[in-house]
Structures are given as C-alpha cells and as structure tokens.
Amino acid sequence: MASLPTSQPHAVLFPFMSKGHVIPILHLARLLLRRNLSVTVVTTPSNLPFISASLADTPATFSTIPFPSNDDKIHVESAEQLPSIAAATRLMKPAFDRLLASLPRVDFLVSDGFLPWTYDSAAALNIKRIVTYGMCAYAGALQRDFLPLLLDKKLGATDELIRTPSFPWVKLCYNDFDEPWNRRVVDGPLNDFIMEVVAASSKSFGIIFNSFYELEPAFVDYWAEKCAPRPFCVGPLCLAEPVKAQVEKREWIEWLDVNGPEAGPVLYIAFGSQAALSASQLQELAEGLESSGVRFLWVLKSGDLDKIGTWDAGFAERVKGRGMVVADWVNQREILSHEAVKGFLSHCGWNSVVESLCAGVPILAWPVMAEQHLNARMVAEELRVGVRVETCDGTVRGFVKAEGVSRSVKRLFGEKEVARRVAEVKEMAEAAVAEGGSSWRALTELIDEACGKV
C-alpha cells in the first residue's frame, strides 16, 4: 500500500466480496477522491486485480487481508448461503483490526452492510462507520414498514396484496420478499444474521443509498424520520465514472452498430452475476424472444449455458441477423448507452436498474431474488419507467411462458408514456449529481460531518 498524505481526510472503503456490491463502492471512491479525500479500498487477494484495475486512473490505495478460504470469489445464489459466508468473513476481523490500527489517519469507514462486524472494529478506534447495501430507500423503507405484517401469522395467502401502513398506495405480498421474510415462521441462521446486520447498521453513523432524493422523496423522508442510521442519497453512483468505450470494439458492440435504430429497437437481456433461471425457464425465454420478432442482445452466464446445453441447435440460425447471444463479461453501461438499445429485460438488481435509468432505457422487470421484487414494483408502479414480465398464473414469482415473454416485450416497446418517463428520470439523475444538486449536497454533508468539519 502506498503512503497516504496525512493532511487529507482519509476514508477506508470495505466492500462485500461480490461484484454487485463492489462496483458501487468503487464509484463512491471516485466521488470521494474528487472531494480531495484519500481513499483506501480493503479487499481480498483474489478481488484485488479487478478493484485495482477499476481505479487504476485514480490515486486510490489498496490493502488486502486474507480470506479464510482458498476461494474468495463470493457468489450468493441464495439468501440461505449468507450465514455461512458471514461466518467466514468474520474470521477476517483480526487482520482488519490490525490494518485499521496501522493506518496513520482514518476519518471514516464505509462498510458493506453484509460485514456487520466492522462496526466493532471501527468503534474500538472511535472511527465513524457508514454502511451501504447498494440499494435504494424504497426497498429499505418498505422492508421496515411491512415487517410487522410479515410477522403477523394472520396474513392471507402468499400472493394476497396488502396495503403498507405508511404508504397506502403501495400494495405488497409475502412473495415480494425473499428469505426469511416470506416464511410463515421467521427464524433460523439467516434471520439471526439479518438481525446482526440491522443492529450494526442502526448504530452506525449513516447509511448510503445509491439513489437521489427526487427519485423517492417519500421513502427517504420515512427512513430519516423512523429508521436509523441517517440516510445519505449520493447517487446514482454509476455517474461518477463516464461510460468508457473499449479500445477495441467487442463483437456485440459491432453488432449493435450494424443493427442501429433504423433497423428497429434492440432489447438487451441480462440477469446479472447472481440471479439464476432454471433450464426450462431459459428455454421459454428463448422461444419467447424468437416468436416476438424483436431484435435482441442476450447476455448469458456460463452456468446458464451449461443448463441449456445443446437446447435448440436451430435457434441461433433462425434468429440470425436480429438476435445475438453472448456468454462473456460485457460492459453493461456501454451497451445500455448504445443508441440501438431501447429496452432492458432485467432481474432488477439495483445496480442494473440505476444504470438503465441513467441511460434512459425502459425496463422489462423480471425479478428473481433478494430485494429485486421490490425494485420491480418500484420500476413498474412507483416510477412507471418499465413494465412487469407476464407470468402464466399472474403471481409475482410465477413461471413465465414463451407467449408471456413475447407479449411483455411488445408491450414494453409500445409504452410511449414509459419511454417519456424514463427520459425524464435520466435528466433528474444527471441534475442530482451535478454541482449543487441534491446528491452533490448530500455527499458534502456526509464528508463534512464524518470528518468533523461541522
């Protein structure tokens, strides 16, 4: 680790070892560096190459601490995995304590919420801890507000919609929540881990939402009045880094160039690095894309390719010219920013939602796990910047048939009001992060207060 200038305020950033959690914290690092702070990012050896490459054009410094396993590339495909992963990360605490104590000056720590033990590490040295989950205030506020109803065994069926107490225009059901809240009896290791996370968060100095106030004012205000710790909306964080075109154009960008707006709108399809669909669901998705007649760019995980296997050898030939399937890492923001892309079929991970909004691209919401079902409601019902995918039984977690895919895609492309609204949100986001905007001011407040300037 390079030496740190002692005259500058110094922030230590410690993301959870998963790409969806790492990326927004790296964007935050850029914002802090622009405000004349020194930044140290703490990670594990296997994650260091990605993190250091992402911030290679900045003066950020990096420190590594060992992960208690040979594999520190964490992939959370089920909430049930979190307790065991959390137990493993806790074994990093002694090394993190030594690192924190060895640094010449630390004004505050930004820690992922899935690392609750970092609160004790920071508190022992009188360092302020700021927590982040990379999520929005809408999901956080609804989880807190709906919790008493989830714990009430008198609630109806799992898909029965119930008005939330503080937001009567929002209706939710059991299946809008992931483990353990969608059970009739909430207990076990996962519940214990969540309670630990909530307790550490509530004692922290603040919480960062990757959002901006104008996007969700009622939910930010609710959090500020009824929850802890204090919220700071400093996003969209992705706007801290300009969209970078690759030095050498990748084949899918060349394909988009050829299939520009004059050839018809292109639907981008991606479910992120964690969310997974079954082999049968992937097959229905493929058949639906084929029958829809729309142009599409479909990014698959390698695991999805394994599940599909040989699936339909004639698919690629039949959609040739209007469809492309990619099994590789892609620059999602570069794709979303391409003029040919007019829709995003997304799992509604919050990073993907924010990137789509900032690119002005409407969303076809197909949530899978975590808080994605809440994000999907926000997209379709609260913000009206997208539509929900059509399930065969009308439930939020129902199976999606090929005809449902086809109808949903055509509906997305036909919704002029959705396109108008997402363009409006894009402008709001850009204004929020500009100098003097709400997110710019919130970051100023966070830095001044965390560094003891006020």
Side-chain angles (χ1 to χ4, degrees), residues 309-322:
T310 58
W311 58 327
D312 184 347
F315 174 77
E317 187 62 32
R318 291 194 300 274
V319 301
K320 188 176 181 180
R322 71 171 179 89

PDB file of all heavy atoms in Angstrom, residues 309-322:
ATOM      1  N   GLY A 309     -27.393 -26.389 -22.262  1.00  0.00           N
ATOM      2  CA  GLY A 309     -26.784 -27.463 -23.027  1.00  0.00           C
ATOM      3  C   GLY A 309     -26.914 -27.196 -24.510  1.00  0.00           C
ATOM      4  O   GLY A 309     -26.662 -26.100 -25.006  1.00  0.00           O
ATOM      5  N   THR A 310     -27.336 -28.184 -25.255  1.00  0.00           N
ATOM      6  CA  THR A 310     -27.483 -28.016 -26.700  1.00  0.00           C
ATOM      7  C   THR A 310     -28.785 -27.329 -27.043  1.00  0.00           C
ATOM      8  O   THR A 310     -29.002 -26.955 -28.178  1.00  0.00           O
ATOM      9  CB  THR A 310     -27.456 -29.392 -27.388  1.00  0.00           C
ATOM     10  OG1 THR A 310     -28.500 -30.204 -26.847  1.00  0.00           O
ATOM     11  CG2 THR A 310     -26.132 -30.080 -27.199  1.00  0.00           C
ATOM     12  N   TRP A 311     -29.691 -27.149 -26.063  1.00  0.00           N
ATOM     13  CA  TRP A 311     -31.030 -26.583 -26.146  1.00  0.00           C
ATOM     14  C   TRP A 311     -31.630 -26.711 -27.516  1.00  0.00           C
ATOM     15  O   TRP A 311     -32.173 -27.757 -27.855  1.00  0.00           O
ATOM     16  CB  TRP A 311     -31.082 -25.176 -25.575  1.00  0.00           C
ATOM     17  CG  TRP A 311     -30.199 -24.103 -26.136  1.00  0.00           C
ATOM     18  CD1 TRP A 311     -28.948 -24.204 -26.650  1.00  0.00           C
ATOM     19  CD2 TRP A 311     -30.543 -22.722 -26.200  1.00  0.00           C
ATOM     20  NE1 TRP A 311     -28.492 -22.993 -27.018  1.00  0.00           N
ATOM     21  CE2 TRP A 311     -29.420 -22.042 -26.763  1.00  0.00           C
ATOM     22  CE3 TRP A 311     -31.652 -21.984 -25.837  1.00  0.00           C
ATOM     23  CZ2 TRP A 311     -29.399 -20.669 -26.965  1.00  0.00           C
ATOM     24  CZ3 TRP A 311     -31.635 -20.616 -26.036  1.00  0.00           C
ATOM     25  CH2 TRP A 311     -30.519 -19.966 -26.587  1.00  0.00           C
ATOM     26  N   ASP A 312     -31.530 -25.743 -28.379  1.00  0.00           N
ATOM     27  CA  ASP A 312     -32.133 -25.845 -29.706  1.00  0.00           C
ATOM     28  C   ASP A 312     -31.088 -25.424 -30.716  1.00  0.00           C
ATOM     29  O   ASP A 312     -30.823 -24.238 -30.891  1.00  0.00           O
ATOM     30  CB  ASP A 312     -33.374 -24.943 -29.774  1.00  0.00           C
ATOM     31  CG  ASP A 312     -34.116 -25.060 -31.094  1.00  0.00           C
ATOM     32  OD1 ASP A 312     -33.541 -25.638 -32.031  1.00  0.00           O
ATOM     33  OD2 ASP A 312     -35.240 -24.563 -31.185  1.00  0.00           O
ATOM     34  N   ALA A 313     -30.514 -26.405 -31.374  1.00  0.00           N
ATOM     35  CA  ALA A 313     -29.401 -26.116 -32.283  1.00  0.00           C
ATOM     36  C   ALA A 313     -29.800 -25.156 -33.394  1.00  0.00           C
ATOM     37  O   ALA A 313     -28.957 -24.454 -33.952  1.00  0.00           O
ATOM     38  CB  ALA A 313     -28.883 -27.417 -32.886  1.00  0.00           C
ATOM     39  N   GLY A 314     -31.090 -25.086 -33.716  1.00  0.00           N
ATOM     40  CA  GLY A 314     -31.516 -24.216 -34.796  1.00  0.00           C
ATOM     41  C   GLY A 314     -31.839 -22.800 -34.370  1.00  0.00           C
ATOM     42  O   GLY A 314     -32.096 -21.946 -35.225  1.00  0.00           O
ATOM     43  N   PHE A 315     -31.810 -22.533 -33.064  1.00  0.00           N
ATOM     44  CA  PHE A 315     -32.201 -21.206 -32.560  1.00  0.00           C
ATOM     45  C   PHE A 315     -31.324 -20.101 -33.137  1.00  0.00           C
ATOM     46  O   PHE A 315     -31.822 -19.106 -33.680  1.00  0.00           O
ATOM     47  CB  PHE A 315     -32.146 -21.198 -31.035  1.00  0.00           C
ATOM     48  CG  PHE A 315     -32.397 -19.850 -30.419  1.00  0.00           C
ATOM     49  CD1 PHE A 315     -33.684 -19.342 -30.334  1.00  0.00           C
ATOM     50  CD2 PHE A 315     -31.350 -19.076 -29.923  1.00  0.00           C
ATOM     51  CE1 PHE A 315     -33.927 -18.094 -29.765  1.00  0.00           C
ATOM     52  CE2 PHE A 315     -31.579 -17.831 -29.362  1.00  0.00           C
ATOM     53  CZ  PHE A 315     -32.875 -17.340 -29.282  1.00  0.00           C
ATOM     54  N   ALA A 316     -30.015 -20.274 -33.020  1.00  0.00           N
ATOM     55  CA  ALA A 316     -29.095 -19.238 -33.478  1.00  0.00           C
ATOM     56  C   ALA A 316     -29.281 -18.943 -34.963  1.00  0.00           C
ATOM     57  O   ALA A 316     -29.223 -17.782 -35.386  1.00  0.00           O
ATOM     58  CB  ALA A 316     -27.651 -19.645 -33.193  1.00  0.00           C
ATOM     59  N   GLU A 317     -29.533 -19.963 -35.729  1.00  0.00           N
ATOM     60  CA  GLU A 317     -29.706 -19.778 -37.174  1.00  0.00           C
ATOM     61  C   GLU A 317     -31.017 -19.056 -37.479  1.00  0.00           C
ATOM     62  O   GLU A 317     -31.070 -18.184 -38.355  1.00  0.00           O
ATOM     63  CB  GLU A 317     -29.666 -21.130 -37.885  1.00  0.00           C
ATOM     64  CG  GLU A 317     -29.671 -21.036 -39.400  1.00  0.00           C
ATOM     65  CD  GLU A 317     -28.462 -20.302 -39.956  1.00  0.00           C
ATOM     66  OE1 GLU A 317     -27.369 -20.375 -39.342  1.00  0.00           O
ATOM     67  OE2 GLU A 317     -28.632 -19.627 -40.993  1.00  0.00           O
ATOM     68  N   ARG A 318     -32.065 -19.426 -36.746  1.00  0.00           N
ATOM     69  CA  ARG A 318     -33.377 -18.838 -37.019  1.00  0.00           C
ATOM     70  C   ARG A 318     -33.440 -17.350 -36.646  1.00  0.00           C
ATOM     71  O   ARG A 318     -34.194 -16.599 -37.253  1.00  0.00           O
ATOM     72  CB  ARG A 318     -34.473 -19.595 -36.273  1.00  0.00           C
ATOM     73  CG  ARG A 318     -34.723 -21.001 -36.804  1.00  0.00           C
ATOM     74  CD  ARG A 318     -36.051 -21.558 -36.258  1.00  0.00           C
ATOM     75  NE  ARG A 318     -36.075 -21.626 -34.807  1.00  0.00           N
ATOM     76  CZ  ARG A 318     -35.608 -22.639 -34.090  1.00  0.00           C
ATOM     77  NH1 ARG A 318     -35.047 -23.682 -34.692  1.00  0.00           N
ATOM     78  NH2 ARG A 318     -35.686 -22.627 -32.762  1.00  0.00           N
ATOM     79  N   VAL A 319     -32.683 -16.953 -35.611  1.00  0.00           N
ATOM     80  CA  VAL A 319     -32.717 -15.541 -35.200  1.00  0.00           C
ATOM     81  C   VAL A 319     -31.535 -14.759 -35.742  1.00  0.00           C
ATOM     82  O   VAL A 319     -31.350 -13.590 -35.402  1.00  0.00           O
ATOM     83  CB  VAL A 319     -32.764 -15.410 -33.655  1.00  0.00           C
ATOM     84  CG1 VAL A 319     -33.981 -16.116 -33.090  1.00  0.00           C
ATOM     85  CG2 VAL A 319     -31.481 -15.949 -33.008  1.00  0.00           C
ATOM     86  N   LYS A 320     -30.746 -15.398 -36.568  1.00  0.00           N
ATOM     87  CA  LYS A 320     -29.549 -14.758 -37.104  1.00  0.00           C
ATOM     88  C   LYS A 320     -29.902 -13.432 -37.767  1.00  0.00           C
ATOM     89  O   LYS A 320     -30.848 -13.332 -38.527  1.00  0.00           O
ATOM     90  CB  LYS A 320     -28.871 -15.680 -38.117  1.00  0.00           C
ATOM     91  CG  LYS A 320     -27.514 -15.181 -38.590  1.00  0.00           C
ATOM     92  CD  LYS A 320     -26.863 -16.203 -39.509  1.00  0.00           C
ATOM     93  CE  LYS A 320     -25.487 -15.732 -39.973  1.00  0.00           C
ATOM     94  NZ  LYS A 320     -24.844 -16.734 -40.871  1.00  0.00           N
ATOM     95  N   GLY A 321     -29.141 -12.415 -37.454  1.00  0.00           N
ATOM     96  CA  GLY A 321     -29.387 -11.106 -38.029  1.00  0.00           C
ATOM     97  C   GLY A 321     -30.174 -10.199 -37.107  1.00  0.00           C
ATOM     98  O   GLY A 321     -29.943  -8.992 -37.075  1.00  0.00           O
ATOM     99  N   ARG A 322     -31.100 -10.776 -36.340  1.00  0.00           N
ATOM    100  CA  ARG A 322     -31.878  -9.931 -35.422  1.00  0.00           C
ATOM    101  C   ARG A 322     -31.631 -10.260 -33.962  1.00  0.00           C
ATOM    102  O   ARG A 322     -32.110  -9.559 -33.085  1.00  0.00           O
ATOM    103  CB  ARG A 322     -33.373 -10.041 -35.729  1.00  0.00           C
ATOM    104  CG  ARG A 322     -34.027 -11.354 -35.362  1.00  0.00           C
ATOM    105  CD  ARG A 322     -35.539 -11.253 -35.520  1.00  0.00           C
ATOM    106  NE  ARG A 322     -36.212 -12.496 -35.201  1.00  0.00           N
ATOM    107  CZ  ARG A 322     -36.631 -12.830 -33.981  1.00  0.00           C
ATOM    108  NH1 ARG A 322     -36.420 -12.026 -32.970  1.00  0.00           N
ATOM    109  NH2 ARG A 322     -37.253 -13.967 -33.787  1.00  0.00           N
TER     110      ARG A 322
END
